[in-house]
Amino acid sequence: MSSDRIIFSRPFRARQELANLEAVLNSDHSHGDGAFTASATAKIKAITEAPHALLTTSCTSALEMAGLLLELGPDDEVIVPSFAFTSTATSMALRGVTCVFADIDLATGNLDPASVAAALTPRTKAVVVIHYGGVAAEMAELLALADTHGFAIIEDNAHGLGGRWRGRPLGTIGTLGTLSFHDTKNVHCGEGGALLLTDEILMARAEIIREKGTDRARFLRGAVDKYSWQDIGSSYLPSELNAAVLDAQLAAFDVIQAGRHRVWDGYASALPDWAARNDVRLMTVPDDREHTAHLYFLRTPTEARRDDLISHLGSLGISAPFHYVPLDSSPAGFKLGRTPNPCVRSAEFSGTVVRLPLWPDLSDAQVARVVDAVTAFTV
Ligand SMILES: *Cc1c(COP(=O)(O)O)cnc(C)c1O
């Protein structure tokens, strides 16, 4: 058995990456919207069944585009989970909105619809929902609230490419969806992202916003004979170099997902007895959801024992980090947000969560080593 360090996450290498990169470098086209952008976009649309998809430079920039498309402004409030990555909130704050923090469900780490309902005001224009770990949030309740109160739902689907809720692909259930291709995510190109859209009119505007406010996309399709400044916008189009790597990764999507699910299933089948003996909560997936094996988490009864478990694993050469300092208690959260009800479960989740190493090439022997190390710990 190896005593090498087991790192938490290792970016996948797809077989075609180098050949694709070489093809771009040998062409005279490395700016965006070339053949690899088209090919990667088609693969994303096939996986997500989204009517429209646009590659972006990151999930953060896709969220910024969502804020622009929904015309969010200083009079608006956007509800975001307190237990979230910074981009989820800062992309909204960039539009001058007030971020209103809502709490999560302790079992899933996902936004609690009751907490959203309690945070609604006449100024609520959007709710950003994360499908934490690639397990769908409580979409039935959130869609019902959106129907009644008329807010938009933005799905920050950084974890959930290929996941489903009641058969519906994540990222296509709300008004707009975003994906991340950062190298810590299931599919990556170093840094990258995508915006998923179902609405024709939003799509027409999105491709202009993404291209510095111009109708260059229409020009490339031959629909206009020159392109010009049409609207506000920015530079959210990734280069062909990124798209070339992304296209190779997406071609290997099934291999990536099979590897990740093998590891996830390994943890899920080996840990329940130990968890029951030690009052530890394991990640669970409700029956009406297909998850993406983006991460495998467990929660200890206290923060002190969580920190002890992380040190114990560290001493055995295993990296198992926690994450997400609750946004409502972070410096920018105080300045740019409002917390109508204390987000106590976000704080508890953040204080007790551990994530185990998970990447597609983790061997069965390494999974067994992680399981042995975890189960040797008495909580
Ligand atoms: C990674 C991540 C992001 C940011 O993705 P980038 O592509 O790095 O901008 C946003 N939201 C969540 C939930 C994430 O995990």
Side-chain angles (χ1 to χ4, degrees):
M1 187 187 279
S2 156
S3 61
D4 293 345
R5 251 199 112 62
I6 300 182
I7 58 176
F8 171 65
S9 167
R10 184 174 191 194
F12 184 76
R13 282 294 304 273
R15 202 161 37 87
Q16 272 300 111
E17 278 171 22
L18 282 178
N20 286 5
L21 279 172
E22 198 166 6
V24 175
L25 291 168
N26 288 335
S27 75
D28 52 10
H29 185 135
S30 9
H31 62 274
D33 258 341
F36 283 115
T37 301
S39 177
T41 304
K43 288 184 175 72
I44 290 167
K45 286 166 69 173
I47 293 168
T48 62
E49 299 169 18
H52 306 289
L54 290 170
L55 295 195
T56 59
T57 45
S58 66
C59 181
T60 308
S61 52
L63 287 164
E64 288 178 23
M65 286 181 68
L68 289 165
L69 286 164
L70 296 173
E71 302 187 327
L72 302 178
D75 293 335
D76 301 323
E77 292 181 347
V78 175
I79 296 176
V80 299
S82 166
F83 182 74
F85 189 62
T86 56
S87 300
T88 313
T90 203
S91 55
M92 302 295 121
L94 200 58
R95 302 262 53 78
V97 308
T98 302
C99 291
V100 177
F101 298 110
D103 215 350
I104 56 161
D105 179 282
L106 274 178
T108 59
N110 279 329
L111 197 54
D112 172 17
S115 182
V116 171
L120 287 169
T121 76
R123 292 168 61 197
T124 308
K125 193 130 174 220
V127 172
V128 190
V129 53
I130 297 174
H131 304 299
Y132 180 64
V135 179
E138 299 305 322
M139 293 312 293
E141 291 83 347
L142 292 170
L143 288 168
L145 283 173
D147 253 11
T148 312
H149 297 275
F151 57 77
I153 292 179
I154 302 168
E155 295 175 75
D156 175 350
N157 194 32
H159 301 179
L161 174 63
R164 285 173 187 264
W165 170 78
R166 299 186 183 170
R168 294 172 67 180
L170 304 187
T172 65
I173 302 164
T175 317
L176 293 158
T178 64
L179 298 172
S180 174
F181 302 121
H182 185 271
D183 77 358
T184 53
K185 303 298 168 24
N186 291 24
V187 168
H188 81 93
C189 60
E191 303 264 6
L195 181 66
L196 306 179
L197 309 95
T198 46
D199 184 279
E200 208 71 45
I201 294 165
L202 286 182
M203 173 59 181
R205 192 165 182 215
E207 59 179 19
I208 289 170
I209 286 174
R210 187 181 67 145
E211 263 287 24
K212 301 96 182 166
T214 74
D215 56 351
R216 179 168 174 270
R218 248 181 292 173
F219 168 72
L220 291 177
R221 286 196 296 274
V224 286
D225 62 3
K226 59 179 185 314
Y227 69 86
S228 57
W229 187 25
Q230 301 286 327
D231 198 345
I232 57 167
S234 190
S235 185
Y236 292 130
L237 174 67
S239 88
E240 271 297 277
L241 293 165
N242 289 68
V245 173
L246 183 62
D247 193 52
Q249 294 255 329
L250 289 165
F253 185 62
D254 292 344
V255 175
I256 293 172
Q257 290 306 99
R260 297 190 79 98
H261 278 285
R262 175 182 50 79
V263 175
W264 197 98
D265 292 346
Y267 293 143
S269 64
L271 295 176
D273 287 348
W274 166 81
R277 278 198 309 276
N278 288 279
D279 199 19
V280 166
R281 305 297 144 94
L282 299 178
M283 184 172 179
T284 55
V285 181
D287 283 343
D288 59 351
R289 285 151 234 210
E290 289 169 43
H291 74 104
T292 59
H294 174 60
L295 55 81
Y296 187 88
F297 76 80
L298 51 86
R299 288 201 311 106
T300 55
T302 66
E303 181 161 353
R305 292 310 275 159
R306 188 279 304 275
D307 294 345
D308 292 343
L309 174 57
I310 290 176
S311 318
H312 162 80
L313 294 174
S315 74
L316 296 172
I318 296 165
S319 307
F322 66 92
H323 67 165
Y324 296 160
V325 175
L327 299 178
D328 65 310
S329 62
S330 55
F334 286 122
K335 208 164 57 190
L336 304 170
R338 192 166 70 70
T339 308
N341 300 292
C343 295
V344 289
R345 280 165 280 143
S346 293
E348 178 170 355
F349 198 96
S350 168
T352 55
V353 72
V354 182
R355 295 172 296 156
L356 300 182
L358 205 172
W359 30 281
D361 298 320
L362 203 61
S363 70
D364 290 338
Q366 286 172 311
V367 172
R369 227 183 94 197
V370 175
V371 166
D372 288 347
V374 170
T375 54
F377 184 78
T378 304
V379 178

